[in-house]
Amino acid sequence: MPLFYTRQESESEIKIVYTNQALVYIFLLIIFGLTFLDLSFDWQLILFFFTLSFIIVWYAGLWKTGREVRQAMKTGKVIVSGSKLSFKNPVTVVIKK
């Protein structure tokens, strides 16, 4: 799912950049903060299902690349750089072929 990452493949390496990961963590932090507000039960239920569906979509969107990165980590052909909370320097995974 290209919403959460970009993937570039060349003859010698695969480069995966997790572009919107900082937005995901900010969104989850806002949801966590909203849990402390005294909202009605209806709003809490809507917020719960919205958050649950978002986490499922996020996890499913990263499933394929996550599996590819884990397999490459077992062989030791991975270089990881960047920060999860940075927009200028997002997490970048380079897998050597």
Side-chain angles (χ1 to χ4, degrees):
M1 194 171 199
L3 179 64
F4 301 113
Y5 66 90
T6 58
R7 185 177 192 276
Q8 301 169 351
E9 187 169 351
S10 66
E11 293 179 6
S12 61
E13 65 184 16
I14 300 171
K15 184 177 182 180
I16 301 170
V17 180
Y18 294 100
T19 53
N20 296 328
Q21 194 168 14
L23 286 176
V24 170
Y25 288 117
I26 291 170
F27 173 75
L28 291 176
L29 184 63
I30 289 170
I31 294 298
F32 179 71
L34 286 175
T35 59
F36 291 106
L37 295 178
D38 188 21
L39 301 174
S40 68
F41 179 74
D42 295 335
W43 280 106
Q44 288 178 353
L45 194 61
I46 291 169
L47 187 64
F48 172 74
F49 283 116
F50 180 72
T51 305
L52 184 66
S53 62
F54 176 77
I55 290 173
I56 290 170
V57 168
W58 179 41
Y59 191 74
L62 296 177
W63 180 265
K64 184 178 178 182
T65 58
R67 192 174 63 190
E68 182 179 14
V69 170
R70 282 190 300 274
Q71 288 175 351
M73 288 175 106
K74 289 180 182 177
T75 61
K77 298 180 180 180
V78 177
I79 300 171
V80 180
S81 63
S83 173
K84 290 192 285 187
L85 300 176
S86 174
F87 290 105
K88 290 185 178 182
N89 186 20
V91 174
T92 303
V93 178
V94 178
I95 301 171
K96 301 289 183 184
K97 290 185 178 180

